[in-house]
Amino acid sequence: MEAISRSVTLTVEPLTPFMPWSVEERAPLPEPGAAGQPERQLLVELLREPSSIVERLLDPSQLQGLVLGSVGVIAAGTSVFAATSSAARGGGEAWALPAALASMNVLMSLAASLGPIYAASILVAARVPLARLVAALLASAATGSLLLAGLAPPLYLLWRLDAEWAGPLLLTAAFLLSGAAAGARIHGLLSLMAESVTRAALGNPTARLSGEDAWRVGILARVSWMMVAFTSGLGFWAFDALG
């Protein structure tokens, strides 16, 4: 009777959509041949092609490059924005410290949020392999950092024109837009990645996530967004990164 009870429990427990069923399907994907393939631009994919980012996430040979490239984009984007903000507020030559603190804050916030996000993925039965989860979070944050860097010139101009209203409002709006972009991207990446793994497991190139799987992936995406936003806001307040 106990054996039957355990069997029923294992059958009822939902399988994470990020992990296929069989041991063979859990093996790393074969490395694609590089011959004849055009060079792929990470910056373009971060901004416009989430499906290409998912291909990198599922390819073990490209995962490390995606992580390193995303870290570089995060450091560059947040540093440019923080340095521009400091210069606009009359920081003079003291722009280097805010630039360093801002980029360090984002990376530390991602590291601090990783544990709760991974725990949430286990609780909702949507566990993502840790390496892929780290890369997806970094890629999403890199997309938000690119948006921040793009808003740096308008911020400088508006702050110099109106340091009382227009400048501070755009500063706040820039962080809100960056957070929204990163949140939308992590939701899209997790959904596309779950669909790709499900299609490979079922052998059906047109398969879609079930309603239950999509619901659990959505919960994980919202938790990821919330934790990154909370840790980032806490970090900026604690470090006074833009001061």
Side-chain angles (χ1 to χ4, degrees):
M1 181 66 68
E2 183 179 356
I4 296 176
S5 176
R6 289 180 179 176
S7 175
V8 171
T9 301
L10 290 176
T11 303
V12 172
E13 182 181 358
L15 183 74
T16 168
F18 296 101
M19 300 289 288
W21 281 100
S22 66
V23 176
E24 292 77 11
E25 289 165 336
R26 291 174 186 268
L29 298 177
E31 297 185 9
Q37 293 185 354
E39 184 178 357
R40 300 168 61 179
Q41 300 294 328
L42 179 59
L43 292 179
V44 176
E45 293 178 357
L46 287 173
L47 287 173
R48 300 174 52 187
E49 302 176 8
S51 59
S52 297
I53 296 297
V54 171
E55 291 180 11
R56 292 177 182 264
L57 289 170
L58 297 178
D59 185 355
S61 66
Q62 299 187 54
L63 198 58
Q64 183 178 2
L66 176 60
V67 169
L68 295 178
S70 298
V71 169
V73 170
I74 292 171
T78 54
S79 296
V80 167
F81 184 81
T84 303
S85 173
S86 178
R89 290 178 290 125
E93 299 179 355
W95 56 267
L97 182 59
L101 285 177
S103 58
M104 181 180 68
N105 172 78
V106 174
L107 294 175
M108 291 181 62
S109 299
L110 291 172
S113 62
L114 181 61
I117 293 172
Y118 189 68
S121 73
I122 296 175
L123 289 175
V124 299
R127 184 173 67 87
V128 190
L130 191 56
R132 292 177 182 172
L133 179 60
V134 171
L137 287 173
L138 287 171
S140 302
T143 301
S145 299
L146 286 174
L147 181 58
L148 269 184
L151 291 172
L155 173 66
Y156 183 87
L157 179 61
L158 283 183
W159 200 291
R160 302 299 288 184
L161 292 175
D162 185 1
E164 185 174 355
W165 288 102
L169 284 176
L170 182 56
L171 179 65
T172 303
F175 281 108
L176 292 177
L177 290 173
S178 174
R185 181 50 52 89
I186 189 63
H187 190 286
L189 289 180
L190 291 178
S191 298
L192 289 173
M193 182 163 52
E195 283 189 355
S196 297
V197 174
T198 299
R199 289 169 181 170
L202 298 177
N204 182 359
T206 61
R208 302 295 298 272
L209 289 177
S210 65
E212 182 185 358
D213 284 348
W215 178 74
R216 289 185 282 125
V217 172
I219 290 179
L220 177 60
R222 290 190 290 273
V223 169
S224 302
W225 188 3
M226 178 188 68
M227 287 304 306
V228 172
F230 174 74
T231 53
S232 297
L234 189 64
F236 273 104
W237 173 77
F239 288 120
D240 193 19
L242 299 177

